[in-house]
Amino acid sequence: MRASANLLLISTLLIGKLVAERCPQICICDRIKYQVMCLNKNLTEVPVNIPQVTQRFDLRGNKIKVIPAGTFLPIPYLTHLNLQRCKVERIEEGAFRGLGRLVYLNLASNNIAFIYQESFDGLSSLRQLMLENNRIEEIMPGAFGQLGFLSFLNLARNSLVYLPDMVFQGLQLIKWINLSHNSLNVLANEAFGGLPTLRRLSLDYNELQFLPTDALSRLSGTNRLDLGHNPIAYIGEEAIEMASLKQLFLDNMALQDVSHRAFIKSPLLHTLDMHNNQLHVQQPLTEMAHLKKINLTGNPVLCTCYMRPFKEWAAKKRIHADVVCAGPVIFREEQLESLRPTDMKCKDHALEEKLLPSMPTVTRSPEEGAVKCPDGCTCSPDYQHGNCDHRNLLSIPKGFPSNTQLLDLRHNEFHSVPKDSFPGLRNLTSLHLQNCRIATLQPGAFQDLKSLVYLYLSNNDISSLDAAVFKGTTQLAYLYLDHNGFTQLPQGAFGFLTNLFALHLEHNSISRIPDNALSGMEKLHWLFLTGNHIAQVSPRALSHAKMLEKLHLDDNSLQEVPTRSLRGLPILSELKLSKNPIKYIKDDAFLPISSGAFTGLGPRIKSLYLEKNKMHGVPDFSGFTALEVINLNDIPFHCDCQLLPLRKWLDKLNLRVGATCASPAEVHGQKVKRITAFQSCPGWSTKKAKRTSSTKAKAKVSRSSNKRQRAGKRQMRASTKSKV
Ligand SMILES: *[C@@H]1O[C@H](CO)[C@@H](O)[C@H](O)[C@H]1NC(C)=O
Ligand SMILES: *[C@@H]1O[C@H](CO)[C@@H](O)[C@H](O)[C@H]1NC(C)=O
Ligand SMILES: *[C@@H]1O[C@H](CO)[C@@H](O)[C@H](O)[C@H]1NC(C)=O
Ligand SMILES: *[C@@H]1O[C@H](CO)[C@@H](O)[C@H](O)[C@H]1NC(C)=O
């Protein structure tokens, strides 16, 4: 009896073993390569009975809609798993649990729409994750939190519109993220936070209209950035701030203007590709010591005197510049490099007009559908640009082609912009009216300009705005009203600018900012008020501009920090208060401002400019924990024991601040950080010793509290799981 029972047991074991090694009939199992292939079999679930030792599992072309939790627990030795084209819609939390050896996971070309927080739990060795060509619209921050070894993440060809803060957190060894061919339009400032190892980022073929300067600035280790095929028209000063960037691709965009200081904060830039854009002219790029290649082919570059500085700069710096002239006619198709600078002329307007490529009467006969263009102006049909700068015109010409996108009317003498000055120009995105002696903008002046994004009115004589002047220009994002005659902020006119991103009002004569000055401008990120006479900022002056990030109030007449007006600006991160007669900053100047949603300004401010003020005392700066730039130059500090708190704060801070003593006479001109006078102040040494030990204690506390937080998070997860 006993023996037969034993026999039974043995035979069951044997059969069990055989069963385990059997291969699902529909699949091919290669026992030498530890590989199983079940391609294009219409399987609706992952087959069981896969040999436990399998390392490579290829399931391409099946119909597995859901991958349930624990699916792969029986085959823990997998290193490669391919689930391409399986019509996968949902990956349950814990679907890949147990696959601690998997290095390659391909989920491309499925129907996945969401990535949940724990979709990829357990994949602690994964190196490559392919998610391209799905329908992913949203990624929860933390979704990749377990993938500490991932080096390549492919999210191309999905439907991402927005990237939230810290979305890639946890990818501690990631080298390359491909986000090409999505619909990205907005990137949160910290979207790329926590990715110090990322070397390459592909953001080409998206829908970015503006450069996401802040988000990109977090990528301190990235060498290569692909941004081509985004509808960006303009690249402003310091637009790309990436310390390690070497190769930048800005091809096939809608660039009409690139500032000569655009890349100044990316000092290692080596290769700049801007082919296929709409640049007529490019100025030399300042301070780019490492630049070796610049590609401007496929731009309507006019090789006139305006391109001479660029040519000379490229030659002098030995930069290989690939530029093919689009005009004037005699130089068409010529390489800029092959021209002699002295042949590149402008002065003679009559001649220039003859030479310009796109004079309609020259280039097309009426039968072909002549392009109309106002007298004295040039219109380029291929590039949708109209140009009448420096023409001594006394009124704004009419009759530009209705598809014109950029209109350059600088340096004329219009004095006024009457109602309906730009009839029918519905596709105009950029309008240049600088230096035109304009004093009045009549209501309805810009009424047809539904697509206008950039409006340049700098250097005119405007002192007031009619409330209805911007009615209709709802896309306007950049408004330049600097160097005009405003003595107060225009009331009402800004209410229509619901998409305004940057408002330039530098160098006017504005003396105060009243309550509700920015009402309507909910998307305003940058406000520039440098060089006015502002002495007062009312408490609710900025309260409508919740998105304000940069506020420049330097070179004004403020006697104190407008603390109360800075309340309720949750993302303010750059504040310039230099060159104001601020004498003393009250201790609570930057203290927590409301007990509500955020804990004060200090921790968020990254740049604080206070130089050239008249203050003697300074506030407690200890709340400014995120400072990267602080400037205390040219403040006449009185270096007695009352300044000890500042000195101690400076000792802790690892930044150059430039604080210098003005008095007493014996330390005049010496750095606050260097003088020894403080050592005789009461409490100097004992406090110092105490502080060091308390700092250590603090560090310990925060480390252990971090641990606690993590533990808490795990617990939370665990409890969610158990609920499920
Ligand atoms: C899978 O389904 C398709 C369509 O129903 C069919 O044409 C094909 O022959 C099936 N393939 C297999 C291997 O059953
Ligand atoms: C990113 O992925 C897309 C789609 O798979 C691919 O075409 C592209 O080449 C990848 N990007 C780069 C820079 O290789
Ligand atoms: C510039 O770009 C064009 C278009 O892609 C390409 O044909 C050309 O080789 C590039 N020039 C250089 C110097 O890379
Ligand atoms: C304006 O642009 C749109 C979209 O690019 C285009 O379809 C339309 O034809 C353009 N209008 C004119 C008048 O060119």
Side-chain angles (χ1 to χ4, degrees):
M1 226 14 218
R2 194 167 238 211
S4 72
N6 268 346
L7 203 65
L8 190 67
L9 186 63
I10 287 166
S11 60
T12 319
L13 279 177
L14 266 176
I15 291 165
K17 194 159 193 267
L18 282 178
V19 168
E21 295 211 332
R22 229 186 302 151
C23 182
Q25 225 176 10
I26 203 162
C27 305
I28 300 167
C29 299
D30 181 332
R31 274 156 224 260
I32 297 165
K33 294 188 186 154
Y34 303 108
Q35 184 172 336
V36 174
M37 301 206 287
C38 323
L39 269 70
N40 305 319
K41 300 294 187 220
N42 297 344
L43 294 170
T44 56
E45 48 192 43
V46 175
V48 287
N49 286 348
I50 303 296
Q52 194 193 18
V53 292
T54 303
Q55 293 176 1
R56 289 169 180 259
F57 194 6
D58 193 341
L59 278 161
R60 275 175 289 173
N62 285 291
K63 295 186 173 168
I64 305 168
K65 282 197 178 161
V66 180
I67 305 181
T71 300
F72 300 98
L73 283 174
I75 36 175
Y77 297 103
L78 276 192
T79 57
H80 292 69
L81 176 57
N82 199 334
L83 285 159
Q84 273 187 82
R85 292 183 286 101
C86 280
K87 304 202 185 320
V88 178
E89 286 170 15
R90 206 151 70 82
I91 301 172
E92 284 191 359
E93 295 184 343
F96 301 109
R97 212 173 289 147
L99 295 183
R101 297 169 188 233
L102 201 69
V103 295
Y104 175 89
L105 175 57
N106 198 332
L107 285 161
S109 304
N110 282 293
N111 293 322
I112 303 166
F114 291 98
I115 304 280
Y116 299 100
Q117 280 214 344
E118 301 183 21
S119 293
F120 299 116
D121 261 19
L123 297 174
S124 53
S125 303
L126 198 65
R127 301 287 163 84
Q128 295 192 37
L129 177 55
M130 310 301 190
L131 283 165
E132 80 263 29
N133 202 17
N134 276 282
R135 297 188 299 136
I136 302 171
E137 287 168 21
E138 197 175 344
I139 304 172
M140 312 288 166
F144 305 119
Q146 308 288 317
L147 304 180
F149 276 93
L150 200 69
S151 67
F152 176 37
L153 175 60
N154 195 345
L155 282 163
R157 297 183 195 278
N158 277 286
S159 309
L160 294 166
V161 173
Y162 170 70
L163 292 182
D165 281 335
M166 305 308 285
V167 60
F168 301 113
Q169 191 173 23
L171 300 179
Q172 289 169 15
L173 293 175
I174 191 81
K175 292 282 184 313
W176 179 19
I177 299 178
N178 187 344
L179 288 161
S180 305
H181 295 274
N182 276 278
S183 307
L184 289 171
N185 183 343
V186 181
L187 309 181
N189 284 353
E190 302 296 336
F192 301 124
L195 296 174
T197 59
L198 192 72
R199 293 288 169 268
R200 178 169 180 186
L201 178 64
S202 306
L203 280 168
D204 46 327
Y205 293 92
N206 274 286
E207 287 172 21
L208 297 168
Q209 292 186 32
F210 309 110
L211 267 180
T213 301
D214 287 296
L216 295 174
S217 72
R218 306 297 185 266
L219 295 168
S220 55
T222 302
N223 304 142
R224 175 175 170 148
L225 176 63
D226 304 286
L227 271 170
H229 296 270
N230 277 285
I232 298 176
Y234 167 80
I235 301 191
E237 283 188 21
E238 304 180 7
I240 300 208
E241 204 175 310
M242 294 172 69
S244 308
L245 190 67
K246 292 187 179 148
Q247 291 174 287
L248 177 59
F249 293 81
L250 299 171
D251 55 293
N252 295 286
M253 311 223 293
L255 293 179
Q256 302 179 345
D257 194 2
V258 175
S259 163
H260 64 108
R261 291 168 50 84
F263 314 110
I264 211 159
K265 295 248 172 120
S266 301
L268 298 185
L269 193 64
H270 176 280
T271 302
L272 176 59
D273 191 338
M274 300 198 290
H275 79 263
N276 293 356
N277 277 289
Q278 309 213 352
L279 297 165
H280 271 314
V281 58
Q282 179 62 54
Q283 291 185 326
L285 300 172
T286 327
E287 290 179 36
M288 304 306 299
H290 292 267
L291 197 65
K292 285 284 164 294
K293 274 192 194 170
I294 177 166
N295 195 337
L296 284 171
T297 56
N299 280 276
V301 174
L302 297 177
C303 297
T304 60
C305 67
Y306 296 118
M307 277 305 280
R308 229 185 266 158
F310 178 91
K311 178 179 162 62
E312 286 164 357
W313 164 76
K316 183 160 161 240
K317 303 270 175 177
R318 297 173 182 277
I319 295 167
H320 177 59
D322 199 350
V323 186
V324 179
C325 306
V329 170
I330 46 164
F331 295 146
R332 210 185 265 179
E333 304 292 319
E334 298 267 0
Q335 282 280 344
L336 178 69
E337 249 170 353
S338 68
L339 304 184
R340 282 192 318 195
T342 47
D343 292 338
M344 297 168 61
K345 293 213 172 76
C346 280
K347 284 281 164 345
D348 184 350
H349 271 300
L351 180 65
E352 186 196 348
E353 275 161 30
K354 263 189 226 124
L355 298 180
L356 269 166
S358 44
M359 282 299 284
T361 47
V362 178
T363 52
R364 303 203 184 174
S365 63
E367 304 85 68
E368 288 171 321
V371 171
K372 53 180 182 157
C373 192
D375 274 352
C377 301
T378 54
C379 299
S380 126
D382 295 339
Y383 309 113
Q384 287 102 36
H385 288 192
N387 195 320
C388 337
D389 67 321
H390 283 99
R391 302 294 156 97
N392 300 321
L393 299 173
L394 297 175
S395 64
I396 294 176
K398 289 197 177 154
F400 293 98
S402 60
N403 63 355
T404 304
Q405 290 182 3
L406 182 145
L407 197 50
D408 185 351
L409 298 166
R410 286 174 296 170
H411 295 281
N412 285 292
E413 291 198 27
F414 299 137
H415 298 282
S416 157
V417 182
K419 180 168 193 257
D420 204 10
S421 284
F422 308 96
L425 299 184
R426 283 190 188 158
N427 283 9
L428 196 69
T429 57
S430 184
L431 176 57
H432 294 257
L433 285 164
Q434 300 97 316
N435 300 84
C436 286
R437 301 187 186 225
I438 296 168
T440 49
L441 304 171
Q442 292 182 8
F446 308 110
Q447 65 185 15
D448 272 1
L449 306 182
K450 308 268 181 257
S451 306
L452 196 66
V453 175
Y454 306 97
L455 177 55
Y456 299 87
L457 286 161
S458 315
N459 290 299
N460 281 294
D461 304 319
I462 307 167
S463 57
S464 66
L465 292 178
D466 184 276
V469 72
F470 297 123
K471 207 172 162 186
T473 56
T474 49
Q475 294 301 309
L476 199 62
Y478 292 82
L479 176 57
Y480 290 77
L481 287 166
D482 52 299
H483 297 90
N484 274 283
F486 291 100
T487 54
Q488 52 185 12
L489 267 178
Q491 289 288 298
F494 296 149
F496 292 103
L497 303 178
T498 48
N499 278 307
L500 202 68
F501 185 91
L503 176 57
H504 287 263
L505 278 164
E506 306 92 311
H507 303 288
N508 280 283
S509 308
I510 298 166
S511 58
R512 56 184 288 267
I513 310 182
D515 278 344
N516 306 319
L518 306 178
S519 65
M521 293 197 274
E522 271 129 37
K523 298 215 181 133
L524 193 68
H525 280 62
W526 300 350
L527 176 57
F528 301 105
L529 286 161
T530 306
N532 279 277
H533 307 319
I534 299 167
Q536 194 214 337
V537 184
S538 291
R540 278 185 303 282
L542 312 172
S543 59
H544 290 273
K546 292 272 181 277
M547 301 301 283
L548 209 59
E549 269 174 51
K550 282 190 191 184
L551 177 58
H552 291 189
L553 281 165
D554 46 320
D555 199 1
N556 274 290
S557 308
L558 293 167
Q559 306 224 5
E560 56 179 39
V561 177
T563 313
R564 288 195 296 163
S565 336
L566 302 175
R567 286 177 191 181
L569 299 178
I571 60 171
L572 188 66
S573 63
E574 183 175 300
L575 180 58
K576 288 202 180 187
L577 289 167
S578 330
K579 291 208 243 170
N580 276 288
I582 296 176
K583 289 217 178 70
Y584 182 71
I585 302 184
K586 286 189 226 122
D587 260 352
D588 62 353
F590 298 104
L591 281 191
I593 312 201
S594 83
S595 50
F598 65 98
T599 47
L601 209 47
R604 291 199 177 258
I605 297 278
K606 291 212 164 64
S607 320
L608 182 64
Y609 297 82
L610 288 167
E611 73 273 22
K612 297 198 176 141
N613 280 301
K614 297 224 159 40
M615 53 187 175
H616 301 290
V618 284
D620 174 9
F621 280 114
S622 54
F624 287 81
T625 47
L627 274 186
E628 285 163 10
V629 180
I630 177 165
N631 196 336
L632 297 172
N633 268 319
D634 296 329
I635 297 175
F637 286 108
H638 180 67
C639 294
D640 62 7
C641 288
Q642 293 201 7
L643 210 63
L644 186 61
L646 175 72
R647 166 61 186 263
K648 290 206 286 196
W649 180 69
L650 293 180
D651 281 346
K652 271 191 267 175
L653 199 69
N654 199 12
L655 290 175
R656 271 182 55 182
V657 292
T660 309
C661 305
S663 53
E666 62 271 21
V667 293
H668 175 88
Q670 295 185 32
K671 295 272 181 240
V672 176
K673 226 177 155 163
R674 298 270 166 272
I675 59 167
T676 52
F678 291 113
Q679 288 168 13
S680 56
C681 292
W684 160 263
S685 56
T686 54
K687 283 245 177 74
K688 197 170 180 193
K690 212 165 145 196
R691 196 199 66 228
T692 346
S693 61
S694 78
T695 324
K696 267 186 204 151
K698 236 195 219 155
K700 246 190 213 156
V701 168
S702 73
R703 236 178 285 138
S704 63
S705 83
N706 269 348
K707 244 190 220 160
R708 259 202 307 279
Q709 266 174 16
R710 262 180 271 140
K713 224 171 151 188
R714 266 200 300 269
Q715 218 163 25
M716 244 168 61
R717 281 219 194 99
S719 69
T720 354
K721 264 180 218 160
S722 59
K723 255 182 256 155
V724 178

